[in-house]
Amino acid sequence: MSDLRIGVTGCRGRMGRMIAQAILETPGCVLAGGTEAPDSDAVGADLGALSGARTLGAPVTDDPVRLFANSDAVIDFTAPALTHKHADLAAQSE
């Protein structure tokens, strides 16, 4: 059985960083990516380092479409207006 690839939207916030770290520490789970708003200073930062874990070589992006396409599951920790947008993306992803 393959690892569960989990993405995190809102990965820069306190809870987003905690969730990313928990994914990295959980056997059978892989941190598939993380997103932030296009104007966030976290875009381009290393996702692992941002979460306080090891450097992953995976940058934070501002592209939720790609995150949903590359993830088996996505944990959303953004504002309610974005959650609706992300739910639509999830419904479109297979």
Side-chain angles (χ1 to χ4, degrees):
M1 186 158 140
S2 62
D3 291 340
L4 181 65
R5 297 181 47 79
I6 305 171
V8 180
T9 60
C11 64
R12 179 180 182 251
R14 183 176 56 88
M15 289 304 298
R17 291 190 317 264
M18 290 175 66
I19 291 166
Q21 189 170 24
I23 293 166
L24 288 169
E25 294 172 353
T26 303
C29 294
V30 173
L31 185 57
T35 60
E36 270 298 327
D39 60 346
S40 171
D41 60 355
V43 172
D46 184 84
L47 183 56
L50 183 69
S51 68
R54 66 189 183 282
T55 301
L56 298 176
V60 174
T61 73
D62 61 358
D63 186 357
V65 173
R66 186 171 64 169
L67 179 68
F68 277 83
N70 293 329
S71 302
D72 299 316
V74 175
I75 299 173
D76 182 67
F77 236 94
T78 61
L82 284 175
T83 300
H84 289 285
K85 177 183 174 185
H86 293 150
D88 289 340
L89 289 173
Q92 296 169 26
S93 297
E94 297 251 353

